[in-house]
Amino acid sequence: MATNYIRPGKTVTFTNASGNTITTGSVVKMSHIVGVALTDIANGAEGEVAIEGVFEVPKVSGAVFAVGEKLLWDVSAGAFDDSQATPASGDIMGAAIAMRAGQNGETTCLVKLTPGNTALQS
């Protein structure tokens, strides 16, 4: 094994500076990517956030998308939206792809996180 190997890289150690506790399962925005908190992370504490894997997460109710579609993390809605949504400043495009089709009226969706495939909207 390479002598400079550290770890698999499926998680990031994240310091919560939000002012609130991040609850396990919550989507966490980290600069240009999003992940999912694997445990509760108190304000000022560190915790592990998954940046790979498939998760059920919040979805914009009116978003409609196909399996495999690149999704937009809508920061103001705190939910994933379809690729046709107009991004606002701070939103992240490509943070995940749809693992099942998203239908109008649904409030959750199944996504695969895709770090390294993102664009932070300015």
Side-chain angles (χ1 to χ4, degrees), residues 25-27 36 55-59 73 79-80 107-111 113:
S26 295
V27 176
V36 175
F55 295 89
E56 186 170 11
V57 292
K59 173 191 162 294
W73 176 249
F80 281 97
T107 57
T108 63
C109 58
L110 197 62
V111 303
L113 300 176

Side-chain angles (χ1 to χ4, degrees), residues 75-89:
V75 173
S76 64
F80 281 97
D81 207 341
D82 61 67
S83 63
Q84 301 304 310
T86 303
S89 180

Side-chain angles (χ1 to χ4, degrees), residues 58-114:
K59 173 191 162 294
V60 171
S61 176
V64 175
F65 44 81
V67 172
E69 185 171 335
K70 189 183 288 190
L71 301 177
L72 174 79
W73 176 249
D74 182 325
V75 173
S76 64
F80 281 97
D81 207 341
D82 61 67
S83 63
Q84 301 304 310
T86 303
S89 180
D91 290 350
I92 301 176
M93 178 55 83
I97 59 167
M99 292 296 284
R100 80 173 168 229
Q103 305 299 319
N104 189 22
E106 294 176 331
T107 57
T108 63
C109 58
L110 197 62
V111 303
K112 177 176 180 16
L113 300 176
T114 55

Side-chain angles (χ1 to χ4, degrees), residues 7-12 30 33-38 49-55 95-96 111-116:
R7 64 185 195 168
K10 295 179 182 183
T11 64
V12 170
M30 299 172 288
I33 65 170
V34 300
V36 175
L38 296 176
V49 175
I51 57 171
E52 292 185 11
V54 177
F55 295 89
V111 303
K112 177 176 180 16
L113 300 176
T114 55

Side-chain angles (χ1 to χ4, degrees), residues 8-21:
K10 295 179 182 183
T11 64
V12 170
T13 303
F14 176 76
T15 302
N16 178 9
S18 71
N20 299 305
T21 296

Side-chain angles (χ1 to χ4, degrees), residues 29-41:
K29 180 183 177 197
M30 299 172 288
S31 186
H32 289 72
I33 65 170
V34 300
V36 175
L38 296 176
T39 61
D40 289 347
I41 308 171

